[in-house]
Every structure is written in C-alpha cells, then in structure tokens.
Amino acid sequence: MTRQPDAPSDTAPYGRPGPGDTSTAAATEWWRDAVIYQIYPRSFADGNGDGMGDLPGIRGRLAHLRDLGVDAVWLSPFYASPQADAGYDVADYRATDPLFGTLADAEALIREAHDQGLRIIIDIVPNHCSDQHAWFRRAVAEGPGSVLRERFHFRKGRGDNGELPPNDWESVFGGPAWTRLPDGEWYLHLFAPEQPDFNWDHPAVQDEFRSILRFWLDLGVDGFRVDVAHGMVKAPGLPDIGHGEQARLIGSQILPFFDQDGVHAVYRSWRAILDEYPGERIGVAEAWAPTLERLARYVRPDELHQGFNFHYLSTDWDADALRAAVDASLSALGAVGAPATWVLSNHDVVRHRTRLGGGLDRARAATLLMLALPGSAYLYQGEELGLPEVTELPDEVRQDPSFFRDSGQDGLRDGCRVPLPWSGTEPPYGFGAGDTWLPQPDDWAALTVQAQTGDPHSTLELYRSALAVRRAHPGLGAGDAVEWLPAPEGVLAFRRPGGLICTVNTTAGAVRLPLPPVRQLLSSRAPFAGPTPTGPSAAPVREIPADTTIWWAE
C-alpha cells in the first residue's frame, strides 16, 4: 500500500477531480460519490490545551484529512450551548460556543479547509433548541398566554388538576417527553428536558431557520447535516401513541412525532435556498425512517441531497443480510434519483470495530466493502486508525446525558467519543497539552497517527490507499447498481462498471473463489496470500481469507 501525496494534485487519473477539488469545473454533483469525514469537535484535536477539542485544533489537523483523501468534512455542533447534550442543545445558532473558539475561528476554518481542497458541512439542529435559547427563556418568563409559547409545544396537563402529561409520548432519552413548569403548563421535549421542541407549524420558526441557513451559507459552508430530520413536524393534535406493539420505536410504525409528511414542505423550501448558492451546497438528512422507501422521500430531486443509510449501518456481518441491504438501498434511493450513502460508525453508535465483532480484520473488511459500493461514504473520526469502542469508562467520567437516566438510550455513546490519539506513547497522545475531557486508554500508543504513518500494514495506510484507489479507478464511486457474481455461501462478489470486482468473505475460514482473469488492487488484510493455481485449463481460483475484502481489476 502507498500513502497519498502530501498535497492534492489538481487533477486525477480518468479525468476525475482531485481530492476535495472545490473548483467550479469540478462541481458537478460532487456529493454523489463524496467521501465525507465526520468530526466530533470536542474529541478531534485540542488547540488551547484545556483538554477539549476546538476549532483551532481542527484547523491545525486539516492536513491529516487532506492526506487521507476525503472530499468533505462534517462538523458536529459547535454553536453556543449550555452543553446539556454535547452541543445538540443550541442556545444561539449564529454564535460559536467559547469551548470551541469564536465565530472568527469558524470563518477561518471554513476558509482554510477550502484552501486545502476540503468542503465543510455543519450540523443544524432544527427539531429542538436549548432551554437557554432566547425565545424559550422569554416564553417561560412571560407565562401562560405568551405568544412565544406558540413557537414551542406548550400544553395544559391532563387529570383533575393538570398533573398528568398532555399525552403518553416518551423521550428518546427515557421518561416522559413532557416537563411541567411551576406555572402549571407542560412543554414537549423529545430528548432531554433542556431541549424543548420547536413548533414547526409556526411561521416564525420556519422563517428563523431559513435565515440561519443563509447566515452560514454566506460564511461559505458547503452544506448542512440535518439533525433529527425525521422529527420537527408532529401529528395534528399530538395524539397518544397507545401501548404494546404500536408504541415501539421500531418496525414500520409511523409515530405521531417522527417521519410526518409535513417535514417535506420544509425541505423543499430549504432546497430552494441551497440552490441559490454557487458550488452545489447540499443538505443531508439524519432521518430514522421506518423503511428505506420512507427515507427516499427525504431525498427526492426537490428536497435534500442525501440521507443517512441507517438500515445499512445496523446490518450484521452476514453475506445474505448485507446483500439484501445493498439491493434494498440501491433500489429505494435509485427510484428517486438519489445516491445511496454508506456508513459504519458515527458519534451515536458503537464503533464498528467493536460492534461487528471479529476485531480489526473484520472492521477493515467492512470498510473496504463500504467504499466499493456505488454512492457516497461517511467516515467517523478515528475509524481510519482502527480505534475500538472504549467500553471501560468509570461512571464518574461519563458525559452522555442518557447515561444518567433510568431508561432510553443505553448511555454508551461516550465510548465512541473518546479523544483521538495523534502521537506519542502515553495520554494525551498529542491531542492537547493536558488531561482530556474523556480519558484515553493507556494502550493506544500503536494506534496513533504518528505510529501508523508509513507502516504498510496499518489501518491508516489502508484507508489512505483505499481512498486513493477509489478516486482513481473508474469502477468505484458514483453509480446506482452492482452486478452480483456467483459465490459460495458466506461470500459476496460483485462487479462495478469499469472492470472492478469486489469480493468479501464473511465466514470464519478461508474460501476458494473462481474469478475471471484479474489482478489484485487492494486487500483489507495484509499480507495477501495471492492466487492459487489449479491447473492449466481451469479457471483462476483465488483464496480469500476469513473476514477479508479484496478489490480486483479485470
């Protein structure tokens, strides 16, 4: 494996844009096959030595992302916030929280990323804000009857004295989705009590977010990842869910607070704004829709550009299940002309090295499979280093608000948010100057960027090589279909246009697979055993080790 050059070239083989090329000539639906890297700002790099990642820290590490070969960077929230939910409780959508720097730092980061050939996508959190948001504070202070309460969901309670919540909805973080104020009224929060939900039927809410979009677009951001894109609009009258199977947050049930049809009018208005700006600015939906067909509604031609494929993320390491997920994804999204997206890890789920089982070999194989599929891919910071989930964090250091609740999410999101190791042999591994906001394991010295750079067997060099090959080879990147090839049970084999074949062994042992004449481009496992001849007249047979993905060129 070879690593990327230190600086991106202006052009790449086969006439495709170079890494992160943001020029007008290259802006032809760049998002259809983009590799987008998620940064969780508090855990990426610390620029001021306070143990918390920040925007100057990110600026200082942009060369790592350039050399990795990604096209764009997605930043989790850095807005002004009390940090009740790690910044997803926004107090001011036009300001930077002092934890992360200043608005000038944000502007400088956007400019420098563009100079490095990287696009910038930022989170926008429209379903809810912070209870410290100016609107909500005034709504509470003014009491019942305040016109500001109409911009949220305030209701009188049920029961003889209004002592019961207005309906039976539960918070995603556990417990009722309603909190009662001393004045007797209740307000809705689908997440923490510090995160009141906006009322998206109110025109002032819609106007405010259109203004927020323009504020950041004018500063140069290239798009938005829409948090809880399936929320926002609630069913009229806020009806009860009921009990039993209907109340479960899984399956094909469309709940009265998620995936309501009214959200699509919002995204059509946002798409019109995005299309006003040059450079193909994009919207990405974090939409937990009950089916892929429902997800596809968010990415119709006049709505958002991409939607996260959680159906694929939640698929087990099983050949039949993976093939079914790929086929279903390409079919549903292709029906509306949208690219599929593929993701294995993010800031809300257990890192895929741990979640899939099978250790690092399986994680590397899953990555190479994902990068071979047609469409766009998302990487989560640290997966290029092969980081595992940190599962042994003491209770006293945990930060995830769901950890402190009796039910709801499992409270283990801290394990994928531990700060990255950059260099050195002991914590903080070059992350900053002192102790990190979540403690790093003592055995990460071999996983640092410094330790892995130049090692042809390292996960970092595998990612660098994979992204370089993906950009250069005409059989990788955009597209809407794969051609499945015959393969033994537990093995996937498919062809992409341009003469690229991908083989994946999900079994516990090596398998022998007949293939047409091919040469190996890249293997997730190093060293690779090579071809196994079976006689002069037989078709070439290749041995694929367990938990291995290989790219071949015909």
Side-chain angles (χ1 to χ4, degrees), residues 445-465:
L447 297 177
T448 67
V449 174
Q450 180 184 60
Q452 296 194 47
T453 294
D455 177 359
H457 295 79
S458 74
T459 301
L460 175 58
E461 294 298 351
L462 173 66
Y463 271 72
R464 287 170 168 165
S465 295

Side-chain angles (χ1 to χ4, degrees), residues 133-487:
H133 189 282
W135 286 3
F136 190 78
R137 292 178 65 186
R138 181 179 160 192
V140 171
E142 292 181 354
S146 168
V147 294
L148 267 296
R149 293 199 176 196
E150 298 172 6
R151 301 179 186 186
F152 301 92
H153 295 279
F154 280 86
R155 295 289 188 276
K156 295 184 183 300
R158 297 191 289 195
D160 293 340
N161 299 301
E163 72 277 9
L164 299 176
N167 66 23
D168 64 357
W169 296 3
E170 291 190 359
S171 162
V172 174
F173 287 163
W178 296 90
T179 289
R180 194 180 193 189
L181 295 175
D183 59 36
E185 288 197 342
W186 298 73
Y187 69 88
L188 176 68
H189 53 85
L190 292 184
F191 294 86
E194 297 89 350
Q195 296 169 290
D197 278 39
F198 284 114
N199 175 12
W200 271 86
D201 291 330
H202 198 290
V205 174
Q206 300 183 31
D207 289 345
E208 172 68 356
F209 274 89
R210 284 191 285 262
S211 174
I212 292 167
L213 293 180
R214 292 186 186 281
F215 176 85
W216 288 103
L217 289 167
D218 288 342
L219 290 182
V221 302
D222 299 283
F224 301 91
R225 175 264 193 186
V226 186
D227 184 63
V228 194
H230 55 303
M232 300 158 68
V233 175
K234 278 68 174 176
L238 308 184
D240 282 342
I241 297 173
H243 300 286
E245 190 67 25
Q246 184 182 9
R248 298 177 67 189
L249 299 180
I250 59 175
S252 60
Q253 178 68 31
I254 299 175
L255 299 171
F257 50 78
F258 282 152
D259 195 34
Q260 294 294 304
D261 289 342
V263 299
H264 299 291
V266 175
Y267 297 135
R268 284 191 288 273
S269 73
W270 287 16
R271 178 62 177 262
I273 294 171
L274 293 169
D275 287 348
E276 291 175 14
Y277 285 79
E280 294 187 304
R281 319 292 178 94
I282 71 168
V284 183
E286 185 216 21
W288 289 86
T291 65
L292 282 164
E293 287 72 25
R294 294 289 299 186
L295 173 64
R297 293 165 60 86
Y298 292 80
V299 290
R300 290 176 289 194
D302 61 345
E303 295 190 37
L304 301 176
H305 297 74
Q306 294 182 344
F308 285 150
N309 190 346
F310 295 118
H311 180 66
Y312 183 79
L313 181 149
S314 60
T315 302
D316 292 335
W317 185 244
D318 173 84
D320 290 340
L322 288 165
R323 176 169 176 169
V326 169
D327 284 344
S329 301
L330 294 174
S331 174
L333 295 165
V336 296
T341 64
W342 314 100
V343 61
L344 293 170
S345 292
N346 65 36
H347 67 291
D348 280 334
V349 300
V350 173
R351 286 187 177 276
H352 71 273
R353 172 176 173 174
T354 301
R355 189 184 72 252
L356 293 177
L360 185 56
D361 285 342
R362 183 169 297 177
R364 289 161 58 119
T367 295
L368 222 56
L369 165 60
M370 176 183 75
L371 293 175
L373 295 171
S376 178
Y378 281 78
L379 310 180
Y380 177 52
Q381 63 178 40
E383 71 171 79
E384 77 275 20
L385 305 178
L387 295 188
E389 184 81 0
V390 179
T391 57
E392 297 183 0
L393 287 169
D395 289 356
E396 60 269 20
V397 306
R398 289 192 177 275
Q399 306 283 328
D400 188 346
S402 67
F403 176 77
F404 301 98
R405 295 179 172 271
D406 293 332
S407 59
Q409 294 187 1
D410 58 18
L412 293 180
R413 296 185 300 174
D414 287 325
C416 66
R417 299 176 177 183
V418 173
L420 297 191
W422 291 94
S423 60
T425 58
E426 60 185 22
Y429 301 113
F431 175 79
D435 293 339
T436 54
W437 71 280
L438 282 173
Q440 299 164 305
D442 292 329
D443 60 353
W444 273 12
L447 297 177
T448 67
V449 174
Q450 180 184 60
Q452 296 194 47
T453 294
D455 177 359
H457 295 79
S458 74
T459 301
L460 175 58
E461 294 298 351
L462 173 66
Y463 271 72
R464 287 170 168 165
S465 295
L467 294 183
V469 173
R470 188 180 189 274
R471 183 172 302 280
H473 197 284
L476 293 165
D480 57 10
V482 298
E483 177 192 353
W484 296 105
L485 303 176

Side-chain angles (χ1 to χ4, degrees), residues 28 38 60 71 97 127 145 284 327 339 345 370 385 454 465 478 509 518 545 550:
T28 51
Q38 181 191 359
D71 300 288
D97 194 281
N127 178 74
V284 183
D327 284 344
S345 292
M370 176 183 75
L385 305 178
S465 295
V518 292
I550 302 174

Side-chain angles (χ1 to χ4, degrees), residues 107-153:
E107 292 181 83
L109 173 58
I110 295 167
R111 287 196 305 270
E112 189 162 334
H114 288 165
D115 289 343
Q116 297 270 10
L118 299 165
R119 290 179 168 88
I120 292 289
I121 297 167
I122 65 172
D123 252 306
I124 191 165
V125 188
N127 178 74
H128 50 263
C129 61
S130 165
D131 61 359
Q132 298 304 303
H133 189 282
W135 286 3
F136 190 78
R137 292 178 65 186
R138 181 179 160 192
V140 171
E142 292 181 354
S146 168
V147 294
L148 267 296
R149 293 199 176 196
E150 298 172 6
R151 301 179 186 186
F152 301 92
H153 295 279

